[in-house]
Protein backbone atom coordinates (compact mmCIF):
# COMPACT_ATOMS: atom_id res chain seq x y z
CA UNK A 1 0.00 0.00 0.00
CA UNK A 2 1.78 3.18 -1.08
CA UNK A 3 2.07 5.84 1.56
CA UNK A 4 -0.13 8.68 0.36
CA UNK A 5 -1.10 12.04 1.78
CA UNK A 6 -4.82 11.74 1.24
CA UNK A 7 -5.02 8.35 2.87
CA UNK A 8 -8.11 7.39 4.85
CA UNK A 9 -8.49 4.21 6.85
CA UNK A 10 -11.00 2.88 9.35
CA UNK A 11 -11.68 0.56 12.24
CA UNK A 12 -15.03 -1.16 11.94
CA UNK A 13 -15.88 -3.32 14.98
CA UNK A 14 -19.05 -5.37 15.22
CA UNK A 15 -20.72 -4.75 18.59
CA UNK A 16 -20.81 -8.40 19.60
CA UNK A 17 -18.98 -7.87 22.91
CA UNK A 18 -16.26 -5.82 24.60
CA UNK A 19 -13.03 -5.18 22.69
CA UNK A 20 -10.50 -7.98 23.24
CA UNK A 21 -6.78 -8.06 22.38
CA UNK A 22 -7.55 -9.11 18.78
CA UNK A 23 -9.79 -6.08 18.27
CA UNK A 24 -7.16 -3.83 19.83
CA UNK A 25 -4.65 -5.18 17.32
CA UNK A 26 -6.99 -4.25 14.43
CA UNK A 27 -7.66 -0.83 15.97
CA UNK A 28 -3.98 -0.01 16.55
CA UNK A 29 -2.85 -1.50 13.21
CA UNK A 30 -5.43 0.44 11.18
CA UNK A 31 -4.69 3.62 13.17
CA UNK A 32 -0.91 3.34 12.57
CA UNK A 33 -1.32 2.67 8.84
CA UNK A 34 -3.57 5.73 8.49
CA UNK A 35 -1.61 8.09 10.71
CA UNK A 36 1.87 7.20 9.39
CA UNK A 37 1.09 9.18 6.24
CA UNK A 38 -0.76 11.90 8.14
CA UNK A 39 -4.04 10.38 6.96
CA UNK A 40 -7.46 10.09 8.54
CA UNK A 41 -8.80 7.24 10.67
CA UNK A 42 -12.55 6.76 10.82
CA UNK A 43 -14.72 4.61 13.03
CA UNK A 44 -17.72 2.60 11.92
CA UNK A 45 -20.02 0.46 14.07
CA UNK A 46 -20.88 -2.62 12.02
CA UNK A 47 -24.21 -3.45 13.59
CA UNK A 48 -26.12 -5.04 10.71
CA UNK A 49 -26.27 -8.42 12.40
CA UNK A 50 -29.04 -7.90 14.94
CA UNK A 51 -28.80 -11.49 16.16
CA UNK A 52 -25.11 -11.36 17.13
CA UNK A 53 -25.25 -7.85 18.56
CA UNK A 54 -24.84 -7.52 22.34
CA UNK A 55 -26.81 -4.64 23.88
CA UNK A 56 -24.50 -1.92 25.17
CA UNK A 57 -21.42 -3.34 23.40
CA UNK A 58 -21.10 -0.49 20.88
CA UNK A 59 -20.91 2.16 23.61
CA UNK A 60 -18.56 -0.02 25.63
CA UNK A 61 -16.24 -0.33 22.61
CA UNK A 62 -16.31 3.43 22.01
CA UNK A 63 -15.48 4.12 25.67
CA UNK A 64 -12.59 1.64 25.52
CA UNK A 65 -11.18 3.18 22.33
CA UNK A 66 -11.34 6.62 23.95
CA UNK A 67 -9.55 5.33 27.07
CA UNK A 68 -6.82 3.94 24.79
CA UNK A 69 -6.30 7.39 23.32
CA UNK A 70 -7.84 6.79 19.89
CA UNK A 71 -9.52 9.85 18.40
CA UNK A 72 -11.34 9.31 15.13
CA UNK A 73 -11.88 11.61 12.19
CA UNK A 74 -15.07 11.93 10.19
CA UNK A 75 -18.55 11.18 11.42
CA UNK A 76 -19.15 8.10 13.57
CA UNK A 77 -21.21 5.85 11.33
CA UNK A 78 -23.56 3.08 12.43
CA UNK A 79 -24.58 0.61 9.77
CA UNK A 80 -28.02 0.30 11.38
CA UNK A 81 -28.70 3.89 10.21
CA UNK A 82 -27.92 3.12 6.59
CA UNK A 83 -30.71 0.82 5.38
CA UNK A 84 -31.72 3.21 2.58
CA UNK A 85 -28.21 3.27 1.15
CA UNK A 86 -27.87 -0.52 1.12
CA UNK A 87 -31.38 -0.92 -0.32
CA UNK A 88 -30.60 1.45 -3.21
CA UNK A 89 -27.43 -0.49 -4.09
CA UNK A 90 -29.24 -3.82 -3.83
CA UNK A 91 -32.00 -2.53 -6.14
CA UNK A 92 -29.36 -1.54 -8.66
CA UNK A 93 -27.75 -4.98 -8.56
CA UNK A 94 -31.16 -6.63 -8.98
CA UNK A 95 -32.12 -4.33 -11.87
CA UNK A 96 -28.79 -5.01 -13.62
CA UNK A 97 -29.26 -8.77 -13.24
CA UNK A 98 -26.23 -9.12 -10.94
CA UNK A 99 -28.40 -10.21 -7.98
CA UNK A 100 -31.32 -12.58 -7.61
CA UNK A 101 -33.85 -13.87 -5.10
CA UNK A 102 -32.88 -17.29 -3.79
CA UNK A 103 -35.48 -19.66 -2.33
CA UNK A 104 -33.04 -22.50 -1.65
CA UNK A 105 -32.98 -23.75 1.93
CA UNK A 106 -29.80 -24.14 3.95
CA UNK A 107 -30.03 -27.93 3.66
CA UNK A 108 -30.30 -27.76 -0.15
CA UNK A 109 -27.15 -25.63 -0.31
CA UNK A 110 -25.33 -27.84 2.18
CA UNK A 111 -26.13 -30.82 -0.05
CA UNK A 112 -24.26 -28.96 -2.83
CA UNK A 113 -21.13 -28.62 -0.69
CA UNK A 114 -22.22 -25.28 0.76
CA UNK A 115 -21.57 -23.48 -2.55
CA UNK A 116 -24.54 -22.02 -4.42
CA UNK A 117 -24.29 -21.92 -8.20
CA UNK A 118 -27.90 -22.40 -9.30
CA UNK A 119 -31.29 -22.41 -7.60
CA UNK A 120 -33.24 -25.66 -7.37
CA UNK A 121 -36.30 -25.00 -9.58
CA UNK A 122 -39.74 -24.88 -7.95
CA UNK A 123 -38.64 -24.05 -4.39
CA UNK A 124 -40.56 -21.20 -2.71
CA UNK A 125 -40.01 -19.68 0.70
CA UNK A 126 -41.68 -16.60 2.18
CA UNK A 127 -38.33 -15.05 3.10
CA UNK A 128 -35.95 -15.50 0.15
CA UNK A 129 -32.35 -14.35 0.50
CA UNK A 130 -30.81 -12.14 -2.17
CA UNK A 131 -27.55 -13.41 -3.64
CA UNK A 132 -24.94 -12.06 -6.01
CA UNK A 133 -24.80 -13.92 -9.32
CA UNK A 134 -21.09 -14.74 -9.46
CA UNK A 135 -19.95 -15.17 -13.09
CA UNK A 136 -18.29 -18.40 -14.23
CA UNK A 137 -14.48 -18.46 -14.19
CA UNK A 138 -14.51 -15.50 -11.81
CA UNK A 139 -10.86 -15.10 -10.86
CA UNK A 140 -10.19 -12.14 -8.56
CA UNK A 141 -6.59 -11.16 -7.81
CA UNK A 142 -5.15 -8.48 -5.56
CA UNK A 143 -1.97 -7.60 -3.71
CA UNK A 144 -2.22 -7.50 0.05
CA UNK A 145 0.32 -5.23 1.71
CA UNK A 146 1.25 -7.92 4.25
CA UNK A 147 0.35 -11.22 2.57
CA UNK A 148 1.41 -10.38 -0.99
CA UNK A 149 -0.35 -11.59 -4.11
CA UNK A 150 -3.73 -13.23 -3.51
CA UNK A 151 -6.14 -14.89 -5.90
CA UNK A 152 -9.47 -16.61 -5.55
CA UNK A 153 -11.88 -18.28 -7.98
CA UNK A 154 -14.99 -16.78 -6.40
CA UNK A 155 -17.42 -18.95 -8.39
CA UNK A 156 -15.72 -22.19 -7.35
CA UNK A 157 -14.49 -21.34 -3.85
CA UNK A 158 -17.41 -19.24 -2.59
CA UNK A 159 -20.28 -19.37 -5.11
CA UNK A 160 -23.21 -16.96 -5.34
CA UNK A 161 -22.93 -15.18 -2.01
CA UNK A 162 -25.62 -13.57 0.11
CA UNK A 163 -26.25 -9.81 -0.02
CA UNK A 164 -29.41 -9.74 2.07
CA UNK A 165 -30.11 -12.63 4.38
CA UNK A 166 -33.36 -14.57 4.65
CA UNK A 167 -33.96 -12.88 8.03
CA UNK A 168 -33.81 -9.48 6.33
CA UNK A 169 -30.38 -8.46 7.69
CA UNK A 170 -27.88 -6.95 5.28
CA UNK A 171 -24.92 -9.21 4.68
CA UNK A 172 -21.54 -7.93 5.84
CA UNK A 173 -20.14 -8.19 2.27
CA UNK A 174 -22.68 -5.75 0.86
CA UNK A 175 -22.63 -3.27 3.75
CA UNK A 176 -18.83 -3.11 3.95
CA UNK A 177 -18.41 -2.45 0.22
CA UNK A 178 -21.09 0.25 0.19
CA UNK A 179 -19.67 1.93 3.30
CA UNK A 180 -15.99 1.79 2.35
CA UNK A 181 -16.84 3.47 -0.98
CA UNK A 182 -19.36 5.93 0.44
CA UNK A 183 -16.89 7.00 3.13
CA UNK A 184 -14.02 7.35 0.65
CA UNK A 185 -11.72 4.75 2.25
CA UNK A 186 -8.38 4.47 0.47
CA UNK A 187 -7.15 1.59 2.64
CA UNK A 188 -8.68 -1.28 4.54
CA UNK A 189 -6.56 -2.65 7.39
CA UNK A 190 -8.19 -5.47 9.38
CA UNK A 191 -7.70 -9.01 10.68
CA UNK A 192 -6.47 -11.82 8.44
CA UNK A 193 -9.70 -13.75 9.07
CA UNK A 194 -11.19 -11.46 6.40
CA UNK A 195 -8.48 -12.11 3.79
CA UNK A 196 -10.71 -14.57 1.95
CA UNK A 197 -13.67 -12.14 2.00
CA UNK A 198 -11.68 -9.52 0.09
CA UNK A 199 -12.11 -11.06 -3.40
CA UNK A 200 -15.90 -10.98 -2.88
CA UNK A 201 -15.69 -7.34 -1.93
CA UNK A 202 -13.49 -6.50 -4.94
CA UNK A 203 -15.94 -8.31 -7.23
CA UNK A 204 -18.81 -6.24 -5.83
CA UNK A 205 -16.78 -3.04 -6.23
CA UNK A 206 -16.16 -3.89 -9.89
CA UNK A 207 -19.82 -4.68 -10.59
CA UNK A 208 -20.83 -1.39 -8.97
CA UNK A 209 -18.09 0.67 -10.64
CA UNK A 210 -16.52 1.54 -7.26
CA UNK A 211 -12.79 2.07 -6.59
CA UNK A 212 -10.82 -0.70 -4.84
CA UNK A 213 -8.91 0.46 -1.74
CA UNK A 214 -5.52 -0.93 -0.72
CA UNK A 215 -5.70 -3.93 1.63
CA UNK A 216 -3.55 -5.04 4.56
CA UNK A 217 -4.62 -8.02 6.67
CA UNK A 218 -3.09 -8.07 10.14
CA UNK A 219 -1.99 -11.22 11.99
CA UNK A 220 -4.72 -12.97 13.93
CA UNK A 221 -4.38 -13.54 17.63
CA UNK A 222 -5.17 -17.12 18.48
CA UNK A 223 -5.58 -19.08 21.69
CA UNK A 224 -3.22 -21.98 22.53
CA UNK A 225 -5.50 -24.29 20.47
CA UNK A 226 -5.11 -22.09 17.40
CA UNK A 227 -8.65 -20.69 17.59
CA UNK A 228 -9.26 -17.04 16.73
CA UNK A 229 -10.02 -14.87 19.72
CA UNK A 230 -13.51 -13.68 19.22
CA UNK A 231 -15.38 -10.93 20.97
CA UNK A 232 -18.30 -13.24 21.53
CA UNK A 233 -16.35 -16.15 23.06
CA UNK A 234 -14.12 -16.45 26.08
CA UNK A 235 -11.46 -13.85 25.19
CA UNK A 236 -10.85 -11.52 28.09
CA UNK A 237 -11.67 -7.89 27.30
CA UNK A 238 -8.81 -5.41 27.26
CA UNK A 239 -8.46 -3.45 30.49
CA UNK A 240 -9.48 0.12 29.79
CA UNK A 241 -8.17 1.24 33.17
CA UNK A 242 -4.62 0.26 32.27
CA UNK A 243 -4.16 0.95 28.54
CA UNK A 244 -0.38 1.38 28.24
CA UNK A 245 0.68 -2.26 28.88
CA UNK A 246 -1.93 -3.47 26.39
CA UNK A 247 -0.83 -0.94 23.76
CA UNK A 248 2.77 -2.03 24.20
CA UNK A 249 1.85 -5.73 23.99
CA UNK A 250 -0.15 -5.08 20.81
CA UNK A 251 2.76 -3.14 19.34
CA UNK A 252 5.00 -6.19 19.84
CA UNK A 253 2.33 -8.45 18.29
CA UNK A 254 2.55 -6.17 15.23
CA UNK A 255 6.23 -7.12 15.04
CA UNK A 256 7.42 -3.65 16.06
CA UNK A 257 10.60 -2.84 17.99
CA UNK A 258 10.15 -1.97 21.63
CA UNK A 259 10.53 1.70 22.51
CA UNK A 260 10.12 4.01 25.46
CA UNK A 261 7.73 6.88 24.84
CA UNK A 262 9.51 10.23 25.16
CA UNK A 263 7.32 11.35 28.03
CA UNK A 264 8.11 8.09 29.89
CA UNK A 265 11.77 9.00 29.96
CA UNK A 266 10.99 12.15 31.91
CA UNK A 267 8.05 10.94 33.96
CA UNK A 268 6.03 7.74 34.29
CA UNK A 269 2.87 9.69 33.54
CA UNK A 270 2.74 9.31 29.76
CA UNK A 271 -0.82 9.20 28.49
CA UNK A 272 -2.01 6.74 25.82
CA UNK A 273 -2.24 9.72 23.42
CA UNK A 274 1.43 10.50 24.01
CA UNK A 275 2.36 6.86 23.52
CA UNK A 276 0.38 6.74 20.25
CA UNK A 277 1.95 9.97 19.07
CA UNK A 278 5.45 8.57 19.62
CA UNK A 279 4.54 5.27 17.99
CA UNK A 280 3.70 6.83 14.60
CA UNK A 281 7.28 7.73 13.67
CA UNK A 282 8.54 4.31 14.85
CA UNK A 283 5.96 2.24 13.00
CA UNK A 284 7.47 0.00 10.34
CA UNK A 285 4.72 -1.88 8.46
CA UNK A 286 7.33 -4.11 6.79
CA UNK A 287 7.88 -5.78 10.20
CA UNK A 288 4.29 -6.99 10.57
CA UNK A 289 4.29 -10.81 10.65
CA UNK A 290 2.16 -12.87 8.28
CA UNK A 291 1.64 -15.74 10.67
CA UNK A 292 -0.92 -16.05 13.46
CA UNK A 293 0.24 -14.90 16.88
CA UNK A 294 -0.50 -16.94 19.97
CA UNK A 295 -1.74 -14.78 22.82
CA UNK A 296 0.58 -15.16 25.79
N1 LIG B 1 -16.88 -5.84 11.57
C1 LIG B 1 -15.78 -6.74 11.35
C2 LIG B 1 -15.31 -7.30 12.69
O1 LIG B 1 -15.62 -6.75 13.74
C3 LIG B 1 -14.63 -6.08 10.63
C4 LIG B 1 -14.96 -5.81 9.21
C5 LIG B 1 -13.93 -5.07 8.38
O2 LIG B 1 -13.00 -4.48 8.95
O3 LIG B 1 -14.08 -5.07 7.17
O4 LIG B 1 -14.63 -8.31 12.68
Amino acid sequence: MPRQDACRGRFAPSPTGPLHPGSLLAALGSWLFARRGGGEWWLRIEDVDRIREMPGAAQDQLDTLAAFGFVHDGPLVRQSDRDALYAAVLDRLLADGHAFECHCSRSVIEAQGGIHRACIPGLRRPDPAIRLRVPDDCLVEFDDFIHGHQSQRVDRDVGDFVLRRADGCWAYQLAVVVDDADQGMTEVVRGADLLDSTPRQILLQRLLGLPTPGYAHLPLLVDPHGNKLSKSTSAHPVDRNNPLPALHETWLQLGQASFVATRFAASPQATPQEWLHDAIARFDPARIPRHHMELS
Side-chain angles (χ1 to χ4, degrees), residues 135-156:
D136 290 335
D137 300 321
C138 180
L139 178 71
V140 174
E141 298 180 82
F142 70 102
D143 288 306
D144 184 85
F145 186 87
I146 297 164
H147 295 265
H149 188 73
Q150 304 289 310
S151 65
Q152 188 183 66
R153 272 281 303 276
V154 184
D155 56 321
R156 195 188 57 200

Side-chain angles (χ1 to χ4, degrees), residues 10-14 17-31 41-45 57-72 76 231 238-241 243 247 272-273 276:
R10 84 311 191 265
F11 176 52
S14 305
L19 294 183
H20 59 78
S23 349
L24 182 62
L25 190 133
L28 180 61
S30 60
W31 188 90
W41 182 78
W42 289 30
L43 205 51
R44 181 166 75 224
I45 304 292
Q59 191 54 50
D60 184 80
Q61 294 178 343
L62 294 174
D63 293 345
T64 302
L65 289 170
F68 274 79
F70 293 107
V71 178
H72 68 90
L76 174 68
K231 289 186 280 293
V238 289
D239 180 2
R240 88 163 69 119
N241 297 314
L247 282 172
Q273 284 90 341
L276 286 171

Side-chain angles (χ1 to χ4, degrees), residues 13 96 99 107 120 130 164 183 189 191-192 196 227-228 230 240 251 254 260 276:
D96 291 348
S107 54
I120 305 288
I130 311 271
R164 199 185 69 203
Q183 299 186 289
V189 179
D196 73 345
N227 301 316
K228 181 198 166 197
S230 147
R240 88 163 69 119
W251 175 256
L254 286 167
V260 177
L276 286 171

Side-chain angles (χ1 to χ4, degrees), residues 236-292:
H236 293 297
V238 289
D239 180 2
R240 88 163 69 119
N241 297 314
N242 197 15
L244 286 168
L247 282 172
H248 188 250
E249 184 67 21
T250 308
W251 175 256
L252 300 181
Q253 286 155 353
L254 286 167
Q256 305 301 304
S258 206
F259 73 94
V260 177
T262 319
R263 257 309 278 286
F264 268 135
S267 106
Q269 303 302 320
T271 64
Q273 284 90 341
E274 286 164 342
W275 187 92
L276 286 171
H277 176 268
D278 282 9
I280 296 173
R282 294 175 165 85
F283 177 54
D284 179 1
R287 296 181 64 124
I288 299 176
R290 288 184 177 191
H291 53 83
H292 292 353

Side-chain angles (χ1 to χ4, degrees), residues 10 12-14 44 46 172 176 180 188-190 193-194 201 228 231:
R10 84 311 191 265
S14 305
R44 181 166 75 224
E46 296 213 321
Y172 158 67
V176 76
D180 284 338
V188 170
V189 179
R190 58 188 176 192
D193 53 326
L194 292 166
Q201 295 172 18
K228 181 198 166 197
K231 289 186 280 293

Side-chain angles (χ1 to χ4, degrees), residues 98-175:
H98 292 312
F100 61 97
E101 261 188 16
C102 172
H103 292 264
C104 296
S105 63
R106 191 184 293 253
S107 54
V108 159
I109 295 165
E110 266 163 25
Q112 297 167 355
I115 293 187
H116 186 287
R117 290 302 290 151
C119 287
I120 305 288
L123 295 180
R124 282 314 287 174
R125 52 188 291 175
D127 54 352
I130 311 271
R131 289 178 183 273
L132 189 83
R133 196 183 306 284
V134 176
D136 290 335
D137 300 321
C138 180
L139 178 71
V140 174
E141 298 180 82
F142 70 102
D143 288 306
D144 184 85
F145 186 87
I146 297 164
H147 295 265
H149 188 73
Q150 304 289 310
S151 65
Q152 188 183 66
R153 272 281 303 276
V154 184
D155 56 321
R156 195 188 57 200
D157 300 343
V158 179
D160 303 324
F161 56 90
V162 172
L163 302 172
R164 199 185 69 203
R165 300 183 341 199
D167 62 8
C169 288
W170 301 107
Y172 158 67
Q173 309 292 356
L174 177 79

Side-chain angles (χ1 to χ4, degrees), residues 222-234:
V222 294
D223 68 17
H225 307 289
N227 301 316
K228 181 198 166 197
L229 297 185
S230 147
K231 289 186 280 293
S232 46
T233 58
S234 56

